[in-house]
Amino acid sequence: MSKNRAPGEQTVVLVVDDDMAQRLLMRETLHDFSLAVEEAADGEEALAAFARTSPDLVLMDVKMPKMDGFTACAMMRRLAGGQDAVIVLVTGLEDFASIRRAFDVGATDFVTKPVNWPLLSHRVRYLLRAGRAFRNLRQSEKRLSIAQNIANLGNWDWDIEKNSLFCSAQMYRIFGLSFQEPAATYKTFLTRVHPDEREAIRELVDTALRTKKPYSIDYRILLPGGSCRNVHEQADVVHDEQGNPVSMHGTVQDITERINAEEKIRLLAYYDGLTGLPNRQLFLQLFQQALAAARREGGKVALLYLDLDRFKRINDTMGHSAGDTLLQEIANCLGESIRSSDIVAKACLPCKPGVTLSRLGGDEFTILLTRLAEEEHAGRVAQRILDLLSQPIRIAGQEVYISGSIGITLYPGDGEDVDMLLRNADVAMYHAKEIGRNTFQFFSAQMNQRAMEKLSIETDLKKAMERKELLLYYQPQIDLQTGRLAGVEALVRWLHPRLGMVPPSLFIPIAEETGLIVEVGEWVLQEACRQAVLWQRAGLVPVRMGVNISSLQFKQQGLAALVDQVLQQTGLAAGCLELELTESAIMQNVSQVNQTLIELKELGVNLSVDDFGTGYSSMSYLKRFPLDTLKIDRGFVMDITTDANDAAIIKAIIALGKSLGLKTIAEGVETAEQLAFLQKQGCDVIQGFFISMPLPVREAERYLIEGEKFC
Ligand code: C2E
Ligand code: CA
Ligand code: CA
């Protein structure tokens, strides 16, 4: 029911009296002030008229039949809109009992009979104005309360002199206090503040009073059920002219939802979804903090960088979800044992051991040890982790065995900042892998040196091709039957501007790792063929050109097409080219390999198995593939004259070659004895320092001209 009438709408006064003459007089008096007047003859009628017209003011006689004015007033107050109406009771003069009763039943004011008519109208106008002001106040209080409800905001005022505290309804709700409880005090509210923060709040208020400065703070409220609520409070102090604090005013906002949302975001942003461990982001922060603390207090920190060995294999064979389960199991198992481990407890200085397990991603974990007592303890913790990992883990009904490699860096010593310590731990971890996995390695400066060299070779190698720093050496091969030059093997060299001549053993593995070998190999093939044709055109006897093909190159689609194209371009006869493939390359993906070999064979090129004898013991593939030559590995040739076993192997290989119709070439022949032995066994061709070192192009050319007949 609207009590605030729209502008232009008339103010309504309800006149209630059983005496019609009185009603008439009242109506006349009030009409002059352009008030609309409604009438009722008794209490019951008055209630009905009130409900119907919702008057702004009721002027009601107390003595009436059916229902008297007191009862009607009390009932009106309970009607909708009755709270706000101005109700004036008309009592007998000096009838103090009636006046008191009028007050008790909620009358706004009273007038006595006989009524002073000229005054009445003014009185009514005053009361109407007061009523309007009162209603406006109520309205704005209501609005404020709605706004506070929406904003989860409460406010309070504290009169310091009177030590009285006013708190809005929202304040009570936020603090979990009942609004009915009479006048909650500062202390009551303080008891609801979380015990951990109570003292801080008390101090803050004291300081504010002393300094007369505003404050704002976030704290927690402990609710009776034990749950917590987060609030943000802002307050200011009002002081008098002398600067004495008079009152304080503040707002308290319930920010629990925001804090919860922030917490959720934090969880998503800083924890790994799979294992629930801190993720890389959080780990970096924690590491940074640990280093800052160590720097301040002169402490030690160890970083253990763990990478699971051959985790990819599990993913590939058992599926990704099994891989995920395994990572979860490992995270649980490591997390628990690390926390409860004696070794970890001993590794760190007294109090709680500073250990954090994080997952950096994939199968990489870090264990951060802060307040480390002795550096070697880090090694013990690493060993403990490896021991834990060595236990079988059941995944999808299967026992899975896994191991890990750990690299360790220490602060101070192995790096100044997070980046460097992490990088060096990575280097140490790779070293642990290189020396056979399932082990840990402390970082050392030499390791770094090697890693740096490797890295610089990697970046330089990319440029080497453009800068034409690669070149070929040629190592002659001699036919043992005729004693004539049978061919040459092209061996790549890298003339590095700073490092000088870099042997292939240093950069070929890196080129293979990075995939650059494909490009390098293509260049070698091109260059070797071009050179062979140049020599032939210069009138030299045509010799076979051996070119090494890396397994990665071999796996690429279209190797045969490339070889065909190079032969066409250079004009070299296919029969003059011999591609050297390693055993392991041939054994990968047998069906596809056979197809490639057939294509190559169809071009007419020769195919040889390089480093024969070092790879697969199964020789059955030799029969299946269209091969021409076996290159017996240098390792067997080396000891043929001293090691009976090696001699036996060589004999067997040569015999095998003969039975399969394959030519045999012995590599790494360094002595006359070796040559004699090989010749006796019927080896076809030899290559090695005894004949010649690999030669740069001009010397190789000279060799081709002069040293045609060797034996
Ligand atoms: P490989 O194919 O087995 O090449 C023979 C290696 O043995 C050459 O080393 C050669 O210099 C060395 N050698 C020859 N005779 C003797 C000897 O009597 N005694 C000793 N101790 N060594 C001898 P190099 O040139 O350092 O090449 C090493 C390896 O690098 C090669 O082994 C080959 O696997 C790879 N490689 C070289 N050039 C290329 C290339 O162009 N492409 C690819 N993919 N690999 C290449
Ligand atoms: Ca070779
Ligand atoms: Ca070889």
Side-chain angles (χ1 to χ4, degrees):
M1 191 174 293
S2 164
K3 285 297 190 151
N4 275 353
R5 298 192 186 276
E9 213 178 323
Q10 257 190 330
T11 307
V12 179
V13 177
L14 174 63
V15 172
V16 190
D17 205 309
D18 54 331
D19 183 341
M20 212 171 75
Q22 284 281 331
R23 290 205 308 265
L24 202 66
L25 269 168
M26 282 185 190
R27 172 189 283 275
E28 283 313 301
T29 317
L30 299 174
H31 249 326
D32 293 348
F33 295 95
S34 60
L35 297 167
V37 177
E38 296 284 338
E39 291 177 31
D42 57 53
E44 274 177 11
E45 263 186 38
L47 289 176
F50 187 93
R52 197 178 62 246
T53 63
S54 45
D56 300 278
L57 186 138
V58 180
L59 196 58
M60 180 155 63
D61 188 20
V62 293
K63 275 194 204 135
M64 289 183 296
K66 288 192 194 161
M67 185 190 284
D68 64 16
F70 298 122
T71 316
C73 175
M75 287 178 79
M76 243 172 228
R77 281 290 182 227
R78 286 198 287 275
L79 291 179
Q83 283 267 302
D84 292 343
V86 179
I87 304 177
V88 182
L89 290 184
V90 186
T91 63
L93 181 66
E94 312 268 301
D95 179 0
F96 289 116
S98 293
I99 293 170
R100 195 172 309 122
R101 202 158 156 223
F103 189 74
D104 288 345
V105 296
T108 316
D109 202 359
F110 66 94
V111 291
T112 50
K113 278 182 175 171
V115 176
N116 179 339
W117 297 108
L119 256 182
L120 177 70
S121 55
H122 292 293
R123 184 89 171 254
V124 163
R125 278 169 59 223
Y126 270 106
L127 284 167
L128 278 171
R129 190 164 69 189
R132 258 196 303 275
F134 187 66
R135 275 200 302 278
N136 285 342
L137 180 67
R138 277 231 202 195
Q139 194 87 40
S140 59
E141 266 181 359
K142 202 163 143 197
R143 274 197 213 111
L144 182 67
S145 166
I146 289 170
Q148 290 201 347
N149 263 326
I150 293 169
N152 269 328
L153 181 86
N155 70 305
W156 55 266
D157 295 298
W158 181 28
D159 187 322
I160 293 168
E161 270 172 28
K162 294 196 193 116
N163 190 21
S164 73
L165 181 71
F166 161 82
C167 292
S168 71
Q170 271 293 323
M171 271 291 283
Y172 282 85
R173 191 200 66 75
I174 292 171
F175 279 77
L177 293 166
S178 157
F179 196 43
Q180 263 70 41
E181 274 169 42
T185 60
Y186 170 56
K187 269 201 189 129
T188 330
F189 281 97
L190 205 57
T191 53
R192 281 293 156 88
V193 174
H194 196 285
D196 292 353
E197 288 165 302
R198 216 172 278 157
E199 201 42 49
I201 300 284
R202 212 195 308 265
E203 263 173 38
L204 198 66
V205 172
D206 288 351
T207 316
L209 287 174
R210 221 173 336 103
T211 58
K212 289 165 252 150
K213 292 230 174 83
Y215 69 79
S216 90
I217 185 178
D218 289 354
Y219 59 90
R220 280 167 306 156
I221 288 168
L222 191 59
L223 296 172
S227 62
C228 273
R229 189 166 274 165
N230 297 80
V231 297
H232 172 72
E233 175 163 327
Q234 277 180 298
D236 203 355
V237 183
V238 173
H239 45 87
D240 61 18
E241 279 142 23
Q242 285 80 47
N244 299 314
V246 182
S247 59
M248 278 186 82
H249 307 264
T251 56
V252 174
Q253 188 169 22
D254 184 348
I255 54 168
T256 313
E257 265 176 45
R258 196 192 81 204
I259 297 279
N260 285 347
E262 279 173 7
E263 180 63 19
K264 214 178 264 166
I265 291 167
R266 212 177 69 86
L267 224 76
L268 288 174
Y270 288 120
Y271 290 86
D272 169 41
L274 185 66
T275 61
L277 293 177
N279 64 8
R280 173 181 284 272
Q281 215 75 18
L282 181 56
F283 159 73
L284 291 176
Q285 281 187 18
L286 294 171
F287 196 10
Q288 195 104 43
Q289 286 164 12
L291 288 184
R295 231 170 261 142
R296 254 193 336 266
E297 295 151 17
K300 293 185 185 123
V301 176
L303 171 67
L304 280 61
Y305 194 112
L306 163 70
D307 189 288
L308 301 180
D309 297 331
R310 301 194 179 95
F311 175 71
K312 196 176 164 295
R313 201 192 46 196
I314 288 172
N315 253 350
D316 290 349
T317 56
M318 298 180 68
H320 280 267
S321 83
D324 283 356
T325 314
L326 181 64
L327 289 174
Q328 282 169 333
E329 288 288 323
I330 288 173
N332 282 345
C333 155
L334 287 185
E336 266 170 44
S337 342
I338 285 173
R339 246 172 276 127
S340 58
S341 163
D342 276 2
I343 293 164
V344 176
K346 271 187 213 139
C348 305
L349 290 173
C351 320
K352 42 180 183 178
V355 55
T356 322
L357 173 69
S358 313
R359 178 173 174 233
L360 292 204
D363 57 346
E364 292 172 4
F365 295 84
T366 54
I367 297 96
L368 190 64
L369 297 171
T370 55
R371 294 194 299 272
L372 191 70
E374 289 302 331
E375 294 173 348
E376 60 266 26
H377 283 312
R380 263 176 235 157
V381 173
Q383 189 53 56
R384 164 105 185 112
I385 289 168
L386 294 176
D387 292 346
L388 278 169
L389 280 177
S390 68
Q391 314 279 323
I393 297 175
R394 269 198 96 73
I395 303 285
Q398 227 176 307
E399 298 235 305
V400 176
Y401 285 84
I402 191 112
S403 63
S405 302
I406 300 178
I408 308 175
T409 37
L410 300 163
Y411 174 87
D414 294 340
E416 267 311 299
D417 54 21
V418 165
D419 260 8
M420 192 160 206
L421 287 161
L422 201 56
R423 228 178 315 123
N424 288 345
D426 189 49
V427 168
M429 186 272 289
Y430 268 102
H431 198 239
K433 285 216 189 265
E434 270 173 18
I435 62 170
R437 302 190 166 93
N438 192 21
T439 186
F440 67 87
Q441 282 287 300
F442 279 95
F443 172 75
S444 75
Q446 293 102 292
M447 260 179 217
N448 206 15
Q449 180 80 25
R450 262 204 15 232
M452 293 295 291
E453 266 169 19
K454 212 170 144 183
L455 191 71
S456 83
I457 283 180
E458 190 181 318
T459 44
D460 288 0
L461 188 57
K462 285 185 188 148
K463 295 180 209 143
M465 302 283 301
E466 298 157 25
R467 296 189 193 153
K468 304 201 179 351
E469 288 166 9
L470 295 184
L471 57 145
L472 292 183
Y473 274 31
Y474 301 91
Q475 188 173 32
Q477 298 166 335
I478 298 295
D479 186 320
L480 283 179
Q481 282 216 313
T482 61
R484 282 177 185 274
L485 188 71
V488 293
E489 179 180 1
L491 294 159
V492 71
R493 295 290 179 271
W494 178 12
L495 189 57
H496 191 282
R498 194 165 36 82
L499 300 172
M501 198 62 88
V502 184
S505 58
L506 260 183
F507 69 90
I508 292 287
I510 296 173
E512 281 177 336
E513 247 173 63
T514 55
L516 270 169
I517 189 71
V518 174
E519 221 180 308
V520 170
E522 201 177 317
W523 177 84
V524 170
L525 181 68
Q526 185 93 35
E527 180 61 18
C529 292
R530 196 183 65 91
Q531 190 57 59
V533 171
L534 276 182
W535 280 332
Q536 286 179 19
R537 290 207 182 127
L540 296 170
V541 194
V543 291
R544 233 181 319 92
M545 177 62 79
V547 172
N548 292 286
I549 301 290
S550 138
S551 66
L552 195 70
Q553 250 177 305
F554 192 54
K555 261 195 272 177
Q556 297 271 310
Q557 291 278 316
L559 177 67
L562 173 77
V563 172
D564 188 25
Q565 186 198 331
V566 170
L567 290 174
Q568 304 254 351
Q569 265 175 14
T570 56
L572 184 70
C576 288
L577 180 64
E578 178 153 285
L579 300 180
E580 300 190 3
L581 309 161
T582 59
E583 248 184 309
S584 57
I586 294 175
M587 291 314 288
Q588 285 167 5
N589 192 5
V590 172
S591 64
Q592 194 216 319
V593 163
N594 199 22
Q595 184 56 35
T596 311
L597 289 175
I598 290 168
E599 282 171 30
L600 288 170
K601 200 65 230 165
E602 277 171 358
L603 292 176
V605 298
N606 300 293
L607 300 173
S608 82
V609 186
D610 206 350
D611 306 338
F612 184 75
T614 56
Y616 292 80
S617 47
S618 155
M619 312 261 161
S620 63
Y621 72 93
L622 292 175
K623 266 190 284 191
R624 284 199 277 141
F625 295 149
L627 302 164
D628 302 287
T629 311
L630 297 181
K631 284 194 86 176
I632 306 165
D633 190 66
R634 181 153 53 84
F636 300 114
V637 176
M638 211 154 54
D639 298 326
I640 32 173
T641 49
T642 50
D643 187 328
N645 198 34
D646 279 357
I649 291 172
I650 295 247
K651 269 193 215 171
I653 293 177
I654 294 171
L656 178 77
K658 287 214 186 314
S659 74
L660 293 171
L662 300 172
K663 193 171 65 188
T664 45
I665 301 183
E667 286 188 300
V669 179
E670 295 183 354
T671 64
E673 290 80 46
Q674 290 166 342
L675 187 150
F677 177 89
L678 290 162
Q679 197 158 32
K680 196 168 144 225
Q681 296 308 321
C683 179
D684 299 307
V685 179
I686 56 162
Q687 174 185 348
F689 293 171
F690 187 67
I691 309 295
S692 165
M693 302 272 284
L695 303 169
V697 66
R698 293 283 155 248
E699 286 176 40
E701 205 167 289
R702 218 172 302 136
Y703 191 96
L704 290 184
I705 298 166
E706 295 166 6
E708 240 190 34
K709 190 150 174 93
F710 183 80
C711 304

